[in-house]
Amino acid sequence: MLRPLLFAVASALVLGACASAPDAASTSGSSATETVVVPSVFDLGFQTADELVAAGNTPTAIQRLMQLAGDTSLTPQQTADVLYKLGQLSASPTGYDAEGAVEYYEEVLTGYATTPAAKQSAAALPGATAKVAGYVATLESVDTTRSQEFAALFNLGRHQEAIDVMVANDILPGNEELLAMYQIGYLCDDSNLTGRAYSVADRDGTTRNLRFCDFGK
């Protein structure tokens, strides 16, 4: 009976010692088992896109998601989610790519029909298609002005065609369109460029004098 009794006393002493110094034990234990959670490529891409949209930079968010859509490490469902998100942003008022939105929704429906994003894309597709039809009708109307032609082309996502109309007819778009051109990469803040300068107010209140990036290089 002596050995069990000695074992019980020793155990009690050990437990008492542990109870008297909980901080040291818990600290060493937590540091040994603590793990750093690294966001997945998918989560990080979506987070970055959401932050860009919140900052008023939808065109750059679209570009970020386009890169993400081509990542081969994504699962089919994740790819479908990215394409659906691309459709949403492209069809938004600051996305300026109505035709692209239709294409993204259709790609989800044809390539990822069994994913939840397919149901969402099916619901969003009619609205995006109607928006494209409206812009195309504007282009086909004999009463359309050059400014309206520019706006229709730019909102469809035919940016270079819109810019050609803009430059040829000396059209001055609104600040939103000019800012989008800057965010997409058509306009640059470079003193070495030539051509007409466009005064553009950025989201943070900064005023920039921008010129087309391919002028004067």
Side-chain angles (χ1 to χ4, degrees), residues 14-159:
V14 170
L15 290 174
C18 291
S20 64
D23 292 340
S26 61
T27 301
S28 61
S30 62
S31 61
T33 60
E34 184 178 351
T35 57
V36 177
V37 178
V38 179
S40 67
V41 171
F42 174 78
D43 290 336
L44 185 60
F46 257 64
Q47 178 183 337
T48 301
D50 287 341
E51 290 173 352
L52 287 167
V53 172
N57 199 336
T58 301
T60 306
I62 290 173
Q63 293 172 355
R64 177 66 184 90
L65 289 177
M66 288 173 65
Q67 295 174 344
L68 183 61
D71 194 313
T72 56
S73 69
L74 267 58
T75 66
Q77 181 167 324
Q78 287 175 332
T79 301
D81 288 342
V82 174
L83 292 171
Y84 171 68
K85 183 74 169 181
L86 277 167
Q88 282 187 306
L89 295 184
S90 298
S92 70
T94 53
Y96 302 108
D97 192 6
E99 287 182 326
V102 170
E103 293 173 1
Y104 289 128
Y105 292 143
E106 289 179 341
E107 186 174 354
V108 175
L109 291 172
T110 57
Y112 306 91
T114 60
T115 63
K119 184 176 181 180
Q120 295 172 306
S121 296
L125 182 58
T129 302
K131 186 176 292 188
V132 169
Y135 292 134
V136 171
T138 298
L139 294 177
E140 295 175 346
S141 173
V142 296
D143 298 322
T144 297
T145 65
R146 288 300 189 185
S147 294
Q148 291 171 331
E149 180 184 6
F150 161 80
L153 288 169
F154 199 73
N155 281 288
L156 280 169
R158 305 178 193 179
H159 301 144

Side-chain angles (χ1 to χ4, degrees), residues 132-211:
V132 169
Y135 292 134
V136 171
T138 298
L139 294 177
E140 295 175 346
S141 173
V142 296
D143 298 322
T144 297
T145 65
R146 288 300 189 185
S147 294
Q148 291 171 331
E149 180 184 6
F150 161 80
L153 288 169
F154 199 73
N155 281 288
L156 280 169
R158 305 178 193 179
H159 301 144
Q160 189 57 61
E161 290 182 55
I163 289 171
D164 290 342
V165 171
M166 168 185 166
V167 174
N169 296 276
D170 197 26
I171 296 170
L172 178 61
N175 189 79
E176 287 299 309
E177 288 83 2
L178 290 171
L179 183 57
M181 290 182 199
Y182 173 59
Q183 293 170 341
I184 294 170
Y186 289 106
L187 293 175
C188 290
D189 189 1
D190 187 342
S191 60
N192 294 321
L193 298 173
T194 60
R196 178 175 177 175
Y198 299 91
S199 180
V200 181
D202 210 336
R203 301 298 184 194
D204 60 2
T206 303
T207 299
R208 306 176 186 274
N209 288 318
L210 307 177
R211 291 176 171 83

